[in-house]
Amino acid sequence: MTEMSRRSITNRRRWRRRLRGPAVVAAAGTVLAACKLPTFGAYTGNTVQGNATFHLWQGFFVASIFVGGITFALLIYAIIRFRRRGDAIPKQVHGNTPLEIFYTAVPILIVAVLFFFTVRVENKVDAVAKKPALRVDVTAFQWGWKFVYPSYHVTEITQGPTGYPTLVLPVGETSTFRLVSNDVVHGFDLPNFDFSRYALPGVVNYFDFTPQHDASFVGRCSHLCGLYHADMLFYVKVVSASQFMTWIHQQQGRASA
Ligand SMILES: [Cu+2]
């Protein structure tokens, strides 16, 4: 074999080795895009806003699998490749500027990408519609909830330790909530909507929900607020627009009776 052909074979091998990493990443990306991602233990959101949070969670989880996987592989490689082989002192290395720049720049880039997607989702979750289909005033108190539908003069309120109120919402419509507390700090927590927000005395919080499916959920107070904190439950019932109006009329009839 001539010197030249030998060199070209080594070169080819070197390039094949260099291309292997990106090829694996590209193949993994294609596989991930093709199959449906698992929920990774989170709720799918059930609202347009919660669903955005859910997809962000999936993205973060996939990113962490990649970073964790690469870190783990490098650890195993270092343990095996540089294991102790005898009593000789190994080659002493001090500093590697390109490597140091690389492992400073890559984490910064990762954080920047995650930050970008987080801000995008946060803006979506925090957006409040100018003309919502429905307004609901939520008041947290020791120990219960009051849901007022101001445009319909309907009030749902906790009555006794087991009389949990129901927050009825029309499906596919955007409802704007005005959340306050009457006394101490409470937490308006709806795990199925991937949503939680403090209910603070003297501070008004606004947020929107656009429910995607008719279903029922349980919400609770997420902030220890005193003796009957554990009883601060409420129901959320997402129904069709016509069922919603029927419910409103029932409540109005009950109130006038
Ligand atoms: Cu509470």
Side-chain angles (χ1 to χ4, degrees):
M1 205 183 277
T2 64
E3 177 62 27
M4 205 114 105
S5 66
R6 200 173 300 143
R7 209 180 292 158
S8 89
I9 287 172
T10 0
N11 264 346
R12 224 177 293 154
R13 273 196 199 139
R14 199 176 297 151
W15 270 108
R16 218 176 284 160
R17 216 174 303 144
R18 261 182 218 168
L19 288 172
R20 209 178 290 154
V24 167
V25 172
T30 320
V31 169
L32 281 175
C35 67
K36 205 167 166 285
L37 283 174
T39 62
F40 300 115
Y43 290 99
T44 54
N46 290 296
T47 61
V48 172
Q49 296 80 0
N51 203 240
T53 306
F54 169 68
H55 287 307
L56 183 70
W57 162 257
Q58 282 182 311
F60 266 61
F61 213 104
V62 170
S64 70
I65 289 171
F66 267 110
V67 173
I70 290 168
T71 309
F72 197 72
L74 287 173
L75 262 172
I76 298 293
Y77 171 76
I79 289 168
I80 294 167
R81 175 76 178 76
F82 303 109
R83 69 188 185 278
R84 184 174 169 170
R85 289 191 174 86
D87 287 334
I89 291 173
K91 197 177 124 200
Q92 299 298 297
V93 181
H94 180 79
N96 185 333
T97 312
L99 191 64
E100 280 165 25
I101 291 172
F102 175 75
Y103 68 60
T104 305
V106 168
I108 290 173
L109 186 74
I110 293 172
V111 171
V113 169
L114 295 181
F115 182 77
F116 169 78
F117 285 107
T118 305
V119 169
R120 238 175 46 159
V121 169
E122 261 186 1
N123 287 342
K124 195 169 181 178
V125 170
D126 289 340
V128 175
K130 281 202 183 86
K131 282 183 184 162
L134 180 70
R135 283 181 190 279
V136 186
D137 294 343
V138 181
T139 308
F141 57 89
Q142 282 174 316
W143 287 276
W145 301 93
K146 187 167 83 168
F147 302 122
V148 177
Y149 296 74
S151 39
Y152 300 108
H153 306 285
V154 164
T155 300
E156 269 280 293
I157 189 165
T158 298
Q159 277 159 352
T162 50
Y164 305 130
T166 305
L167 178 63
V168 180
L169 299 173
V171 69
E173 305 270 18
T174 299
S175 305
T176 293
F177 296 80
R178 185 185 184 276
L179 175 67
V180 290
S181 167
N182 252 1
D183 35 52
V184 298
V185 177
H186 299 274
F188 179 87
D189 185 32
L190 250 173
N192 294 84
F193 284 10
D194 286 331
F195 184 89
S196 193
R197 188 68 50 96
Y198 275 134
L200 302 163
V203 177
V204 183
N205 269 316
Y206 292 94
F207 55 88
D208 278 9
F209 286 150
T210 314
Q212 294 171 308
H213 321 279
D214 330 14
S216 294
F217 310 102
V218 175
R220 54 177 65 86
C221 178
S222 59
H223 198 90
L224 184 61
C225 59
L227 190 58
Y228 295 109
H229 159 69
D231 264 333
M232 270 187 76
L233 301 174
F234 60 94
Y235 298 113
V236 177
K237 208 171 157 192
V238 179
V239 296
S240 70
S242 64
Q243 284 171 318
F244 176 75
M245 284 321 296
T246 311
W247 178 79
I248 284 286
H249 292 141
Q250 274 173 1
Q251 299 308 106
Q252 286 170 336
R254 199 175 295 168
S256 59

Coordinates of all heavy atoms in Angstrom, one line a residue, residues 186 221 223 225 229 232, ligand 1:
H186 N -53.1 33.1 50.0 CA -53.6 31.8 49.6 C -53.0 31.5 48.2 O -52.4 32.4 47.6 CB -55.1 31.8 49.4 CG -55.9 32.0 50.7 ND1 -56.2 31.1 51.6 CD2 -56.3 33.2 51.2 CE1 -56.8 31.6 52.7 NE2 -56.9 32.9 52.4
C221 N -56.3 25.2 47.5 CA -55.4 26.2 47.9 C -54.0 25.6 48.1 O -53.8 24.5 48.7 CB -55.8 26.8 49.3 SG -54.7 28.1 49.9
H223 N -51.3 27.2 49.4 CA -50.4 27.9 50.3 C -51.0 27.7 51.7 O -52.1 28.1 51.9 CB -50.3 29.4 49.9 CG -49.2 30.1 50.5 ND1 -47.9 30.1 49.9 CD2 -49.1 30.7 51.7 CE1 -47.1 30.8 50.7 NE2 -47.8 31.1 51.8
C225 N -52.5 28.2 54.9 CA -53.2 29.5 55.2 C -53.9 29.4 56.5 O -54.8 30.2 56.8 CB -54.1 29.9 54.1 SG -55.4 28.7 53.7
H229 N -56.9 25.0 56.0 CA -56.3 25.1 54.7 C -56.7 23.9 53.8 O -57.0 24.0 52.6 CB -54.8 25.2 54.9 CG -54.0 24.9 53.7 ND1 -54.0 25.7 52.6 CD2 -53.2 23.8 53.4 CE1 -53.2 25.1 51.7 NE2 -52.7 24.0 52.1
M232 N -59.8 23.9 51.7 CA -60.0 24.9 50.7 C -60.0 24.3 49.3 O -59.1 24.5 48.5 CB -58.9 26.0 50.8 CG -59.3 27.1 51.7 SD -58.2 28.5 51.7 CE -58.6 29.3 50.2
Ligands
CU1 CU -55.8 29.1 51.6

